[in-house]
Amino acid sequence: MDDMDLLREFASRRSDDAFAELVSRRINFVHSAALRQVRDPWLAEEVTQAVFVILAQKAGKISDKTILTGWLFRTTRFAALAQMRAEAKRRQREREAQMQNEIESSATDEAWGQIAPLLDEALARLAESDRQALLLRYFENKSLAEVGTAIGAGEDTARKRVSRALEKLRKIFAKRGVASTTAIISGAISANSVQAAPAGMATTITATAVKGSAGAVSTLTLVKGTLKIMTYAKIKFAVSIAAAVVLAAGVANVAISSVTAPVDRTSPGEATAQETTFANNVMKSIGNDDYQAFVADGDRGMKSIKETQFKALSVKRAPQLKNGYNVIFLGVLTQNKMRISLWKISYDDGSDDDVLHLAVGGGKITGVLLRPPFS
């Protein structure tokens, strides 16, 4: 059977054998023509396959007078042209995408160089909920659904929270002279926020922190300093302490102001000898349930505290104090020209620490606040 007989056999009876024979006869011709035109073996295979697919689809419509070689030549030519056009468009899209990526990458790299020194401070200024959302999304590479699960919300809520937090970061950076968009900030943080630590560091840290190996003196000094700052940073207290202090339910609360101050931004400083004496006297008087000793070092406002109020505090704290305690200086806050020294009260019986806020002026105690650091 010649080529046209095989084609008629396939068209009329859908004979797979007839079409397979036709393909085996003509595949080298079609593939060679395709390879000369597209000059790529993989693309030539695509063109060859396309030509025979078209032949199968048009088998019943091709005239008996058609010279199949000519038909295959023309169809291969058309298929090669279509392939080269598609390939040109694909390459153009790839070039455009690459250029766009390079532009975005350049913008991201530039943005990262600007925001990196400001990032941690900016994150610290965000609300805890916003900061957690960003840390989960960009530092732990969580999906929005995973972020939502972690914060106890849905994916939509997580998306809104991340978007809101990014906008807040953008505004913080803008105030520091860094103009950018939330998209670029997002890309910069995502690409650069977590980088590999030096090789071997994990082993060294494990040996020092967990196994108890000796660390460098500088590291131990840094640990102590960090712990002190951590304790200091957790203290939230009312400001503008003046004369009147109300003692209720075992906790001293300032009666004049509900304004909350940020963590002290001044140097921790040193406690004066008088402040040290006052702090120890206050705690000793509470432990001994001695009201007169409690108000002895105070000004007129301190002396106005009722004895019943003092006893409410003493009843709760005296048992802890009698088992032993330490008064440890933490630092100093200066607020509205008033000096407030901070003291950690550490109990020997293992009870949670308290923080004593002691306002001193004119050689007298002008205000006292005693409460747990996390209240």
Side-chain angles (χ1 to χ4, degrees):
M1 299 175 69
D2 62 16
D3 289 348
M4 294 306 297
D5 290 336
L6 291 171
L7 189 62
R8 291 288 166 260
E9 180 73 9
F10 170 72
S12 60
R13 300 182 181 180
R14 308 306 296 177
S15 171
D16 292 344
D17 291 340
F19 194 79
E21 175 63 21
L22 186 57
V23 171
S24 66
R25 289 183 186 183
R26 294 297 181 174
I27 189 170
N28 292 338
F29 170 78
V30 173
H31 182 265
S32 297
L35 185 59
R36 288 193 303 271
Q37 295 174 71
V38 298
R39 300 183 180 183
D40 182 287
W42 184 84
L43 295 179
E45 289 185 19
E46 288 285 323
V47 169
T48 302
Q49 182 172 311
V51 169
F52 284 105
V53 168
I54 295 171
L55 178 62
Q57 292 176 349
K58 292 184 173 293
K61 298 179 181 180
I62 296 177
S63 170
D64 292 337
K65 298 180 181 180
T66 300
I67 298 175
L68 194 58
T69 303
W71 187 94
L72 290 172
F73 175 82
R74 290 193 304 275
T75 305
T76 301
R77 176 63 178 164
F78 294 147
L81 286 172
Q83 181 67 282
M84 288 187 288
R85 287 174 181 174
E87 183 66 10
K89 290 180 180 180
R90 183 186 67 80
R91 290 176 178 173
Q92 178 63 24
R93 287 195 299 270
E94 287 183 351
R95 283 194 296 269
E96 291 174 353
Q98 182 179 359
M99 290 177 63
Q100 183 64 28
N101 288 338
E102 289 176 355
I103 292 172
E104 291 178 356
S105 177
S106 177
T108 297
D109 291 343
E110 182 180 358
W112 178 248
Q114 293 177 313
I115 71 175
L118 310 174
L119 179 59
D120 293 275
E121 179 187 352
L123 287 170
R125 294 178 59 184
L126 296 178
E128 183 70 16
S129 58
D130 291 338
R131 180 167 57 253
Q132 287 177 346
L134 291 183
L135 293 177
L136 289 168
R137 182 73 172 115
Y138 298 111
F139 292 75
E140 294 191 26
N141 199 30
K142 300 286 188 184
S143 67
L144 288 170
E146 291 172 324
V147 173
T149 300
I151 63 177
E155 183 174 346
D156 289 341
T157 300
R159 180 181 293 104
K160 292 176 182 178
R161 185 167 295 179
V162 168
S163 178
R164 178 182 65 189
L166 283 172
E167 176 61 19
K168 290 180 180 179
L169 278 187
R170 186 195 66 78
K171 291 179 179 179
I172 292 172
F173 294 145
K175 290 179 180 178
R176 299 296 296 274
V178 179
S180 189
T181 65
T182 55
I184 291 177
I185 292 172
S186 171
I189 296 175
S190 181
N192 299 282
S193 60
V194 178
Q195 301 177 12
M201 180 179 283
T203 302
T204 302
I205 289 175
T206 301
T208 303
V210 179
K211 297 181 179 179
S213 301
V217 174
S218 59
T219 301
L220 297 177
T221 302
L222 179 58
V223 168
K224 292 179 181 178
T226 302
L227 290 174
K228 185 174 182 179
I229 292 174
M230 287 174 66
T231 300
Y232 195 55
K234 291 175 182 177
I235 299 171
K236 296 180 179 179
F237 52 93
V239 296
S240 301
I241 297 177
V245 176
V246 176
L247 300 176
V251 178
N253 295 308
V254 180
I256 355 202
S257 176
S258 61
V259 178
T260 299
V263 174
D264 180 26
R265 297 180 182 277
T266 66
S267 170
E270 297 294 339
T272 66
Q274 186 184 53
E275 288 170 342
T276 303
T277 299
F278 286 167
N280 281 280
N281 287 348
V282 165
M283 299 313 301
K284 183 178 179 180
S285 66
I286 294 173
N288 293 334
D289 191 16
D290 189 342
Y291 172 71
Q292 294 302 323
F294 177 75
V295 297
D297 296 326
D299 66 358
R300 186 168 53 187
M302 274 287 291
K303 294 181 186 298
S304 68
I305 297 172
K306 296 179 180 179
E307 187 171 0
T308 54
Q309 295 171 322
F310 166 77
K311 286 186 177 294
L313 176 62
S314 180
V315 166
K316 186 171 185 178
R317 291 293 187 267
Q320 296 169 280
L321 293 167
K322 287 179 179 179
N323 285 325
Y325 64 95
N326 289 297
V327 180
I328 304 167
F329 175 68
L330 294 176
V332 173
L333 169 70
T334 301
Q335 182 70 35
N336 295 333
K337 298 182 179 180
M338 182 177 293
R339 178 182 172 89
I340 306 170
S341 59
L342 308 173
W343 307 78
K344 182 173 76 170
I345 312 303
S346 178
Y347 302 104
D348 292 350
D349 65 0
S351 302
D352 291 340
D353 296 341
D354 282 323
V355 176
L356 172 67
H357 307 177
L358 192 67
V360 176
K364 296 287 185 180
I365 300 175
T366 63
V368 170
L369 178 63
L370 179 68
R371 66 181 181 185
F374 300 105
S375 64

